[in-house]
Amino acid sequence: MSPEEFRAFGRQVVDWVADYYAGVESHPVRSQVRPGEVRAQLPAHPPEEGEPFEAVLRDLDAVLMPGVTHWQHPNFFAYFPANASGPAILGDLLSSGLGVQGMVWATSPACTELETVVVDWMAELLGLPEHFRTDAVGGGVIQDSASSAALVACLAALQRVSGGEVASRGITRRHTLYVSEHTHSSLARAARMVGIGADNVRIVDVDPGTLGMDPAHLDALIAEDLAAGAVPTLVCATIGTTSTTAIDPVRAVGEVCRARGVWLHVDAAYAGVAAVCPELRWINDGVAEFADSYCTNAHKWLLTNFDCSLLWLADRGPMIDALSILPEYLRNPATASGEVIDYRDWQVPLGRRFRALKLWSVLRWYGAAGLREHIRSGVALAQEFAGWVRDDPRFELLEPHPLGLVCFRPRFPELAAEQADERTYQLMESLNESGELYLTHTRVDGRTVLRFAVGSPQTERRHVLAAWKRIQEAIG
Ligand SMILES: *Cc1c(COP(=O)(O)O)cnc(C)c1O
């Protein structure tokens, strides 16, 4: 594709994306296709000869679009938001255009240095502690996902607790990791991947009222494991669980970790970015004093297209010791001088994209004020929705709901719990099948609960109000 051809098709693609956003509301939110429907319309074999780019765009419209679920639709209230935005899309396009491989500083200095600047900016914007900044012993890095961040945290924790032995000899003792039943599944997967093993993931009780981790039970489990000769290695505290945005008491959990010498990883994948608003910084209480690592996703609620997950470490040393290997073909004077950061030592893959560009575009386009406004509008809409649920006796509202997620369920007083749960699920499916809105569910205290997550920049009050009317109608 010549630069002139690229220019012509590029304009078409940008127009396509702009038209998509302008008309996104005309699509059913959740794709209505059946399994295999998209694949059946695509050729079984790749083309032998090149085709015109128009043919790709034609198939995008005709074949792929019916199979797309519209995460940027204003009536998408499922899971958590996966915000995209104009500046992020354009930043990502520039990153693709440059086609840079930023594995070490020397392979593209700007890729590394811009990343250092934006993660330090983000630490400041979120009110995170000074020692997370790169000038000190800590530092931040952009990962592809919170799952990768958890894996890196586990590797660093194993390094620290074993004095480097795990990196050289492998796991020779029983290591244990601590989560609650509401901790994200990526921690259990990380435990499997690093060789801690699923059986050594200990489930700490939660307070039935707040669903937050019980620090006394955590301490008891650690004591039990120590007595049995195990090596307590990492505790994951969550700020904003995936199920209900419950918040573990990070300070109290951190005190246990500190006393016991266990690594504290804080997973704030969804909620952490809310701390751009000073009035929401209370969610991070205890992080500054106790977190060894902290993760939040710009790619959920902070207007930055997937993938852009931010991981900070209070001390980057154990992570780098765990992951650094210097093969001959990567040796270079800048690395040898020790004056530069090589982010390949801060992640699992070697290669890395110029992800900082899209976050930089977002931060410059919106400014701190614009980001605060975005988060505040999502929180305000969710709170208004929660008020409507509370005022309708046919529904039960789950408390608390401090951010953009509201959990609730219809009461169905005439039905036994199991039938009521079944009806709740059917109600959700009928709404989702209508294509008018999309919500998802979870289980709390053994009961099926609906999740309504607000946070797309496309969502206005009228969309939330219409969704609520539609939910009310559906229960009749
Ligand atoms: C979404 C979520 C994750 C996983 O995020 P990825 O970036 O998709 O890996 C982890 N933890 C929590 C609390 C989440 O909500």
Side-chain angles (χ1 to χ4, degrees):
M1 193 178 276
S2 68
E4 284 316 312
E5 287 171 313
F6 180 82
R7 195 185 307 281
F9 295 127
R11 290 199 165 121
Q12 281 182 40
V13 168
V14 169
D15 282 341
W16 190 99
V17 175
D19 290 343
Y20 174 66
Y21 277 86
V24 67
E25 269 189 70
S26 64
H27 298 281
V29 188
R30 191 177 78 174
S31 168
Q32 317 266 320
V33 298
R34 286 178 304 282
E37 213 173 307
V38 174
R39 192 174 167 200
Q41 294 177 75
L42 293 166
H45 304 287
E48 173 62 23
E49 303 294 337
E51 298 177 60
F53 198 73
E54 286 90 345
V56 174
L57 292 179
R58 239 183 353 256
D59 287 347
L60 169 65
D61 284 323
V63 179
L64 299 186
M65 285 307 277
V68 171
T69 289
H70 300 283
W71 284 69
Q72 307 310 318
H73 196 296
N75 298 337
F76 184 98
F77 303 111
Y79 306 104
F80 280 134
N83 288 179
S85 71
I89 296 166
L90 295 175
D92 222 2
L93 179 60
L94 291 170
S95 164
S96 294
L98 290 170
V100 154
Q101 239 294 3
M103 49 202 175
V104 295
W105 179 89
T107 60
S108 208
C111 178
T112 292
E113 295 194 12
L114 184 65
E115 184 156 333
T116 305
V117 169
V118 295
V119 293
D120 282 356
W121 279 7
M122 282 300 303
E124 180 179 323
L125 282 172
L126 300 178
L128 293 172
E130 280 293 319
H131 61 261
F132 280 10
R133 296 172 60 100
T134 317
D135 326 318
V137 291
V141 58
I142 304 179
Q143 303 272 334
D144 58 0
S145 64
S147 306
S148 293
L151 179 57
V152 168
C154 286
L155 292 166
L158 281 169
Q159 178 75 19
R160 189 176 80 178
V161 79
S162 73
E165 203 184 86
V166 168
S168 50
R169 299 180 58 210
I171 290 200
T172 54
R173 301 179 61 186
R174 187 163 81 87
H175 288 264
T176 48
L177 187 148
Y178 304 81
V179 299
S180 85
E181 64 171 300
H182 297 286
T183 304
H184 193 265
S185 52
S186 52
L187 270 295
R189 295 176 79 201
R192 287 196 213 169
M193 287 187 273
V194 302
I196 286 178
D199 291 351
N200 295 316
V201 176
R202 306 284 260 146
I203 313 288
V204 183
D205 290 345
V206 296
D207 174 309
T210 64
L211 305 181
M213 184 180 276
D214 174 3
H217 188 233
L218 170 66
D219 193 55
L221 285 180
I222 293 175
E224 197 180 295
D225 292 338
L226 283 169
V231 185
T233 299
L234 179 139
V235 174
C236 178
T238 307
I239 294 176
T241 58
T242 314
S243 180
T244 65
T245 63
I247 296 177
D248 288 333
V250 173
R251 179 174 296 280
V253 166
E255 277 162 3
V256 172
C257 292
R258 179 69 45 85
R260 299 286 189 179
V262 184
W263 187 284
L264 175 63
H265 178 64
V266 176
D267 177 5
Y270 159 73
V273 298
V276 293
C277 302
E279 72 275 18
L280 294 172
R281 294 224 173 121
W282 60 267
I283 62 173
N284 282 335
D285 179 53
V287 167
E289 294 86 342
F290 296 106
D292 291 296
S293 49
Y294 177 92
C295 169
T296 188
N297 285 345
H299 66 231
K300 275 180 171 159
W301 196 9
L302 206 69
L303 299 162
T304 309
N305 292 50
F306 190 83
D307 50 354
C308 191
S309 179
L310 302 158
L311 170 68
W312 284 276
L313 295 113
D315 176 0
R316 60 185 182 253
M319 168 188 67
I320 291 172
D321 292 343
L323 289 171
S324 179
I325 296 178
L326 189 60
E328 187 54 36
Y329 51 82
L330 289 178
R331 281 185 198 280
N332 68 85
T335 295
S337 77
E339 282 178 290
V340 300
I341 288 175
D342 290 329
Y343 281 123
R344 67 176 186 115
D345 296 334
W346 300 49
Q347 62 173 23
V348 172
L350 169 62
R352 53 201 333 271
R353 312 199 300 122
F354 200 164
R355 289 196 195 93
L357 259 181
K358 63 185 167 190
L359 184 54
W360 190 54
S361 305
V362 166
L363 297 178
R364 296 188 64 181
W365 176 265
Y366 290 96
L371 299 178
R372 288 194 289 266
E373 196 182 307
H374 166 65
I375 296 291
R376 281 178 186 144
S377 108
V379 173
L381 290 174
Q383 299 314 308
E384 195 169 12
F385 179 87
W388 296 332
V389 175
R390 190 185 298 114
D391 291 345
D392 187 330
R394 295 170 299 172
F395 293 87
E396 184 182 334
L397 175 68
L398 265 75
E399 303 281 1
H401 40 77
L403 302 167
L405 176 73
V406 180
C407 296
F408 68 105
R409 63 184 164 93
R411 289 187 192 272
F412 299 125
E414 72 286 7
L415 298 179
E418 206 171 304
Q419 281 86 23
D421 287 346
E422 184 55 31
R423 279 284 295 280
T424 302
Y425 191 83
Q426 284 166 5
L427 173 94
M428 176 186 78
E429 271 304 288
S430 72
L431 289 166
N432 292 345
E433 275 163 20
S434 78
E436 290 168 59
L437 71 162
Y438 187 11
L439 33 152
T440 49
H441 75 290
T442 187
R443 300 276 290 181
V444 177
D445 275 341
R447 298 298 307 269
T448 299
V449 170
L450 301 179
R451 297 171 74 265
F452 189 89
V454 190
S456 158
Q458 275 68 243
T459 303
E460 297 167 23
R461 185 173 184 276
R462 64 188 170 96
H463 299 110
V464 177
L465 185 58
W468 173 236
K469 292 239 149 75
R470 194 65 189 76
I471 293 165
Q472 284 180 308
E473 270 167 39
I475 74 157

